[in-house]
Amino acid sequence: MNAPANSTKTSDLRLEEMTRILDVASELRTRQELIERQLHLDAVKDDLRKRLLAGAKVSGEPVTAEQVDVAVEQYFDNLHAYQDPPGGIGTFFAKLYVRCGCWIPMIALFLIVTTAGYFTFRALA
Amino acid sequence: MSQPSQDILAALEDFIAQLQGELAQHTQLRDEADGRIEVLLTEKGDAMAELSQHYLPDLSPPSVAATFREVRDDVQKCVQRRDRRIEQLRGKLTALGERVAELESVLAESTKALNEAVAVRERLEREVSQSLEGDEQFRELSTRVLQSEQELVTFERRVVEARLEAEEKLPAYKASRLFQHLHRRGFGTPAYRRRGLSRWLDRWIARKIGYARASKSFDFLNSVPDLMQSEVERRQVSLTEAVEALEKIEMEHWRRHGLDEATERGDRLGDARDALATSLEPLLEQRQKLSAELSSAEDTQGDFYQQAIDRLKKHLDSLAGGVLQRQAERTPEAADDRIVADISWLRDEVDKMHEQQRNASREIRAAQQHVEGMQYVLGRFRQSEFDSQRSRFAADLNMRKLFDRFTAGEINHIELWRELRREQKFDPTWVEKATQSTGDALASETGQSIISATAHIAATALAVMVQNKLQGRGGGVPQFGKRFTKGDGF
């Protein structure tokens, strides 16, 4: 009687473990592929150049090999670069929120500004 | 009319300057004589050497027999010393030559054996090379190793580039408050726990800054360079293992064809040959040195000959000019006559210069004495304050005559000084003059009556003056006719 229940439990466990193991293996494979790609980056860039030139030829785009080289280099130069969003009301409130560590001062200031704006509008109107 | 002291002083100073000029002239003459004597002696030495060489052209027995009787024994001793030294050197050279020949013979054999070993090694290397070419496993492995080595060079460069990229781009992430806020909270990961408005605001910021993409890039920059480095190190290890495997295969082929033993034998032979060559070198140097010394000793005009010449030269130098001349006339050649004539002339010149030197020294001594004497007189002149304005000399005092007598030796400096002193006197001061005229006036009858009136005043003034002097207050009381110096001049 116990045997069927145990085998179901065992098979569930095995499935869970197997899935986890597969996930880990998959991650390892992905990581290895990433490393290989990075180590062979010159070949990757060459391949990209060739494909871009072929594509441009097919589409009739009048682009030269030098222009493609420059574009490819610029792409990789900017690939992992980061820049904060440009200044504005949203960025200001976002930074205020982050600086204070909670949303209360931000909301309070937002309410003050909107209320003051409302009454000013009414007075002018 | 008397003569002022300044004139006498000027005359004294001029005369001293004149004496010093004469002293300098005599000193120059003496120095010239010294220089000329040195030159003449050098020329005489050269002439003597030439004459010696003429009388003793070499150390051959006929030349030695024909040389001067007085030095024949010494010259003969030089010859004997030379012969002994030649014999010694020849003996050493013979022994050394035998030793060198022995070593050279062993070296030749060693070289021959080494050449054979090299030929064997080259033959075996060719066989091993062909054998390796035929080994498929070796071929594949060596191709792989070559490719891996080239790849590794590229990969190492890539790792450096990745690190540089991370160093350049990570600061922007770390400086961004918005990014760091979400990263610290673990946004997008199972660790994120915020709810409600905080969660809504975090999502809004994440959309604003493109956090999903940015966090992946951030993780990439942080981790990938290290992962790449680890991969390169792993491949390095693999490459090392592959190279070791390759070497193992190569060694196996070496052993099979006997190349390892042949190489070992060749190394042993090479070391032995090097040791032989090293030990031979100092012997060759020594042989060369001894050969050079032997050549010099065998040279008829070598060091021993020079010793004989020096001895003969010394003897000829000691002979009088007449003796040399007679000797020169006895020989048929004219060369020695010419040399002896030169030597004779040089000797006469040297004698003349010596005479000039002696005369100049005598003059110098006399001039020095005159200068010192006159400086004594000048010193006393000044000490006695004869150079003061009140100092006068007799009108008939003739300084030129005094100086002539002094230089002629008729008087010495003490006597000259006494003359000057005799002819000198000081003019009285105005106080002394006044006292003198007062004395004349007081001698009359009217003067006598004034004496008693002024005597009391003078006595009081004198008493005060004496009192002040005794109490050391003389400086505060003006005193007429007070001397500035200890003498009478000022």
Side-chain angles (χ1 to χ4, degrees):
Chain A
M1 240 1 215
N2 284 335
N6 279 343
S7 68
T8 311
K9 224 183 187 177
T10 311
S11 68
D12 280 347
L13 274 173
R14 255 189 266 140
L15 190 63
E16 202 182 314
E17 279 171 5
M18 278 178 64
T19 312
R20 208 176 296 150
I21 291 165
L22 276 172
D23 283 344
V24 167
S26 175
E27 200 181 314
L28 284 172
R29 183 181 51 79
T30 311
R31 187 188 292 181
Q32 190 59 31
E33 281 171 5
L34 172 68
I35 291 167
E36 287 295 325
R37 208 165 38 247
Q38 288 303 310
L39 289 173
H40 292 94
L41 196 64
D42 293 338
V44 167
K45 285 182 184 175
D46 275 341
D47 186 49
L48 187 57
R49 278 190 200 101
K50 281 177 190 155
R51 284 198 280 145
L52 285 170
L53 281 170
K57 198 174 172 184
V58 164
S59 63
E61 190 85 28
V63 67
T64 63
E66 289 78 24
Q67 286 166 342
V68 165
D69 282 346
V70 167
V72 166
E73 288 303 322
Q74 268 185 2
Y75 168 74
F76 280 98
D77 283 345
N78 296 326
L79 189 51
H80 299 292
Y82 173 80
Q83 213 174 358
D84 264 347
I89 296 285
T91 309
F92 169 74
F93 278 112
K95 285 185 178 172
L96 178 64
Y97 162 61
V98 159
R99 195 173 299 208
C100 296
C102 76
W103 49 264
I104 296 168
M106 192 200 85
I107 296 295
L109 185 62
F110 178 74
L111 285 173
I112 291 166
V113 166
T114 46
T115 308
Y118 170 71
F119 282 113
T120 306
F121 176 70
R122 270 193 70 176
L124 286 174
Chain B
M1 275 294 277
S2 55
Q3 295 185 66
S5 64
Q6 301 312 313
D7 290 354
I8 306 300
L9 179 62
L12 280 172
E13 286 172 345
D14 288 345
F15 183 55
I16 289 173
Q18 182 194 319
L19 289 173
Q20 283 172 336
E22 285 171 13
L23 175 62
Q25 270 177 356
H26 293 307
T27 307
Q28 192 184 351
L29 276 173
R30 189 196 56 192
D31 291 344
E32 280 171 7
D34 286 345
R36 183 77 183 126
I37 286 169
E38 206 176 310
V39 168
L40 289 170
L41 285 175
T42 306
E43 286 177 17
K44 196 184 91 166
D46 293 343
M48 279 294 176
E50 197 184 341
L51 189 64
S52 305
Q53 282 169 355
H54 177 80
Y55 288 139
L56 187 66
D58 50 49
L59 286 179
S60 61
S63 299
V64 172
T67 195
F68 287 77
R69 189 181 60 244
E70 295 85 348
V71 299
R72 204 172 291 149
D73 284 344
D74 290 338
V75 170
Q76 193 58 42
K77 280 178 190 164
C78 287
V79 172
Q80 284 165 1
R81 273 203 304 274
R82 184 198 66 174
D83 293 341
R84 261 200 311 275
R85 184 63 185 150
I86 288 173
E87 205 179 311
Q88 229 174 24
L89 287 171
R90 281 184 181 155
K92 278 187 183 172
L93 270 171
T94 306
L96 194 58
E98 282 169 9
R99 176 89 186 108
V100 164
E102 193 185 315
L103 276 176
E104 280 178 343
S105 160
V106 173
L107 187 64
E109 280 173 25
S110 174
T111 307
K112 189 176 164 198
L114 196 55
N115 282 332
E116 283 169 9
V118 165
V120 165
R121 187 195 67 200
E122 284 177 357
R123 180 177 55 80
L124 290 175
E125 277 175 352
R126 276 195 294 273
E127 283 175 17
V128 165
S129 175
Q130 278 166 5
S131 172
L132 283 172
E133 271 173 35
D135 188 329
E136 197 171 321
Q137 189 190 6
F138 180 83
R139 268 208 321 273
E140 276 173 22
L141 196 53
S142 57
T143 309
R144 246 191 310 139
V145 161
L146 198 63
Q147 273 174 358
S148 299
E149 270 178 349
Q150 285 167 351
E151 263 182 0
L152 267 177
V153 169
T154 310
F155 292 165
E156 279 164 1
R157 181 182 52 79
R158 273 297 306 137
V159 169
V160 169
E161 284 172 3
R163 286 201 189 284
L164 285 174
E165 189 186 356
E167 271 174 30
E168 196 187 310
K169 291 176 180 172
L170 277 174
Y173 289 91
K174 288 173 183 168
S176 167
R177 282 181 195 271
L178 298 175
F179 180 87
Q180 288 298 318
H181 164 80
L182 293 175
H183 185 70
R184 268 196 306 271
R185 285 187 173 185
F187 186 84
T189 68
Y192 185 71
R193 291 271 180 263
R194 299 284 168 155
R195 294 280 177 266
L197 188 56
S198 290
R199 192 188 185 92
W200 184 84
L201 285 168
D202 287 347
R203 275 193 192 149
W204 170 63
I205 291 172
R207 276 197 303 276
K208 205 165 182 48
I209 66 171
Y211 181 77
R213 191 166 174 270
S215 74
K216 282 191 181 140
S217 292
F218 183 70
D219 291 340
F220 176 91
L221 292 170
N222 269 322
S223 59
V224 167
D226 290 337
L227 291 172
M228 286 168 72
Q229 180 70 42
S230 303
E231 178 63 19
V232 165
E233 282 166 9
R234 190 189 65 78
R235 289 186 190 223
Q236 183 72 52
V237 167
S238 299
L239 177 63
T240 307
E241 286 168 3
V243 166
E244 281 169 7
L246 206 60
E247 282 172 358
K248 207 169 158 187
I249 298 172
E250 205 176 324
M251 275 318 296
E252 184 49 46
H253 282 260
W254 272 46
R255 266 195 292 275
R256 216 184 293 158
H257 292 268
L259 183 54
D260 55 339
E261 280 174 14
T263 306
E264 217 172 308
R265 185 166 170 271
D267 287 339
R268 278 201 304 271
L269 286 171
D271 290 342
R273 192 185 174 283
D274 287 342
L276 274 172
T278 307
S279 62
L280 189 57
E281 208 178 307
L283 294 177
L284 291 174
E285 272 175 25
Q286 199 182 358
R287 187 171 70 175
Q288 194 181 344
K289 219 165 139 185
L290 288 172
S291 286
E293 203 182 326
L294 180 62
S295 294
S296 170
E298 284 174 343
D299 186 3
T300 51
Q301 309 229 329
D303 293 339
F304 293 98
Y305 173 70
Q306 287 305 319
Q307 287 174 18
I309 285 294
D310 289 341
R311 179 67 191 92
L312 181 55
K313 195 169 125 185
K314 205 169 160 187
H315 171 68
L316 292 175
D317 213 3
S318 68
L319 293 177
V323 174
L324 275 179
Q325 200 169 351
R326 281 196 292 281
Q327 175 65 28
E329 283 164 5
R330 270 207 285 275
T331 61
E333 304 93 7
D336 56 344
D337 295 306
R338 177 190 55 79
I339 299 169
V340 166
D342 285 345
I343 290 170
S344 181
W345 179 82
L346 285 167
R347 277 181 173 168
D348 290 341
E349 283 297 304
V350 166
D351 290 341
K352 276 187 206 162
M353 285 297 116
H354 276 307
E355 183 61 33
Q356 187 178 324
Q357 198 183 45
R358 277 193 295 274
N359 291 340
S361 296
R362 212 172 25 242
E363 292 297 331
I364 285 167
R365 274 194 302 275
Q368 270 171 346
Q369 276 176 357
H370 287 155
V371 167
E372 281 162 15
M374 286 314 300
Q375 280 172 344
Y376 167 83
V377 168
L378 184 64
R380 292 306 304 271
F381 193 91
R382 288 197 174 115
Q383 274 171 9
S384 307
E385 298 172 10
F386 284 6
D387 51 348
S388 82
Q389 276 183 342
R390 291 191 305 111
S391 171
R392 313 286 299 177
F393 288 83
D396 60 355
L397 175 63
N398 188 338
M399 291 305 292
R400 189 71 255 158
K401 215 169 160 182
L402 263 181
F403 292 152
D404 289 342
R405 285 171 62 200
F406 175 70
T407 46
E410 288 173 23
I411 54 170
N412 61 23
H413 57 282
I414 308 270
E415 285 158 353
L416 191 148
W417 167 244
R418 280 194 197 131
E419 281 273 344
L420 279 178
R421 217 176 46 190
R422 236 190 336 266
E423 302 297 331
Q424 187 273 347
K425 64 176 191 310
F426 287 105
D427 285 342
T429 60
W430 72 272
V431 170
E432 285 162 357
K433 277 184 198 161
T435 310
Q436 200 175 26
S437 58
T438 305
D440 292 339
L442 286 174
S444 64
E445 282 182 13
T446 317
Q448 293 295 325
S449 63
I450 295 170
I451 285 174
S452 59
T454 57
H456 179 67
I457 298 166
T460 311
L462 185 62
V464 169
M465 195 174 70
V466 169
Q467 184 69 18
N468 283 340
K469 270 207 168 153
L470 285 173
Q471 290 175 357
R473 282 187 282 138
V477 177
Q479 295 166 30
F480 290 105
K482 179 183 172 299
R483 295 278 187 266
F484 291 134
T485 58
K486 289 180 191 149
D488 292 332
F490 299 97

